[in-house]
Amino acid sequence: MRTCYTGQVSSEHLGQIVTLFGWVHRRRDHGGVIFIDLRDREGLAQIVCDPDRVDTFQIAERLRNEFCIRVTGLVRRRPEGTVNPALKSGEVEVLSHEIEILNPSVTPPFQLDDDNLSETTRLTHRVLDLRRPQMQQNLMLRYRVSIEVRKYLDSLGFIDIETPMLTRSTPEGARDYLVPSRVHAGEFYALPQSPQLFKQMLMVSGFDRYYQIVKCFRDEDLRADRQPEFTQIDCETSFLNEQQIREIFENMIRHVFKAVKGVELPDPFPVMPWSEAMGRFGSDKPDLRVRLEFTDLTDVMKTVDFKVFASAANSDGGRVVALRVPGGAELSRSEIDAYTQFVGIYGARGLAWIKVNELAKGREGLQSPIVKNLHDDALAAVLSRSGAKDGDILFFGADKAKIVNDAIGALRVRIGHSEFGRRQGLLEGDWKPLWVVDFPMFEYDDEAQRYTAAHHPFTAPKDGHEDLLTSDPGAALAKAYDMVLNGWEIGGGSVRIHREEVQSKVFRALKIDADEARLKFGFLLDALQYGAPPHGGIAFGLDRIVTMMTGAESIRDVIAFPKTQRAQCLLTHAPSPVDEKQLRELHIRLRNADIKAVQ
């Protein structure tokens, strides 16, 4: 039986005989005395092996990195000058009386303190990677976040209810992972993209405050902040309006950050309409730490000679914006070219710019290949609206609004986080939360020639917008809200539709007829007939929240056994082929030609 965790040995144990368990982090032979750095999930402790204890010393000589051992010994102060203030155990050491090798280890494929490992190596040997102190700290922090979420929600009467992992396929925006049924030949279950429909039915059932920390599955293209399976803090509540729902969950996030990180988030969080966020930052999840904003110039560019600007300004759905970068005139041509190449990733065909060297000299004080193509009124509007000053640079985006928003929005963040941006003070503050509200109800799909639900078909319209569902769906706004933190969407939700007549209008706007609605959502529509209460909720990305708290670069660093960007597990080699017998039982036959084409 261990006395305490290895990393928790401290001056409180001075003079005591303790028993510790752990792994050999490092073995050092100092002229006859062997020092062992013993490690467990709580940290390190220094073990001293004296040659006077012959049997123990002989065992110590055999120890190598990652041997799993038990140590019993006397806790004493470290000699003067050898204290390590970075460790909780740094004031003491353990003079070993007994050492037992519980299990030896082969030579590890890497040193656990190597910070230059490739992700492929780490994920292939994930068991060892998880022994690294940083990874253990990450997962311990994740655990503490989960505990604080549960404590907070439990205190407000939320009930943890599990929903099915095997359900039917429903259209929710991404491809489903399908599970073939052995019993029902030719039919499939789907893994849930979210518990959305089930949590709404729980509200109808009378469980007015539900939550669940739950796995969700989406078969979609992956990025640093996406995984095929991810974890949501999923919440739903009845009889509360949008403002009341936001208040509960804003307080939850504020509580979690205070309890886990000691961080005081602003109270209250600022609130910004979606249209304002897109107008000022080109993003519905703006990083408010970056002190740069768009200047819209679409109206003044309609009559300029510069065809790139004029064409965008006069086209349906086009946009022209400027991004003023204080002090940016010092940027070199090579840096500007690098930014030009960067915005190309987002579909921009170039990056026009004007350096403001001396504003008082008018055109003569500006440096740019495009100035000659802008008439006096347009140029005056550019400088006035943007607030340009000597030493600034203006970057321009001109194209379809989506391309401009994506490209210049990404440029804004890149400049703000660059070494130049930090030097210029363009990035300020550690944590900048934000509520983005009043999202559009629908998005228009040009290819399908129809509206699609911007959130999901059960999102309620804002009060007074019900008639727009019929007359002008594109103008209808939703009771939807996202919580954004430092440029990441960490949570999103909405008030749901609970009245049949409103739901019917939404289906008609989406061109979903009664038969299709019955086929896709019949079980929910039936439930909503039985006195469905007003209800709404939100889902938070647990992986994203923990990633931000730890400062990790990817959510893979806060998930115990993640997949790669190709949705593969390098540890277990999943996905993998299965034998013919299993396929026959599932009534599945593989078409080799199709498989080769995919591969």
Side-chain angles (χ1 to χ4, degrees), residues 332-354:
S332 67
R333 187 55 189 264
S334 63
E335 289 173 309
I336 293 173
D337 289 345
Y339 286 138
T340 302
Q341 187 174 2
F342 172 74
V343 297
I345 298 171
Y346 300 89
R349 290 171 289 182
L351 183 64
W353 52 271
I354 296 175

Side-chain angles (χ1 to χ4, degrees), residues 381-412:
V382 168
L383 298 175
S384 174
R385 289 188 187 183
S386 66
K389 297 179 181 178
D390 291 351
D392 294 348
I393 191 171
L394 302 173
F395 288 114
F396 296 87
D399 211 309
K400 293 180 179 178
K402 180 175 177 12
I403 292 176
V404 171
N405 290 339
D406 289 349
I408 306 303
L411 178 66
R412 169 184 172 269

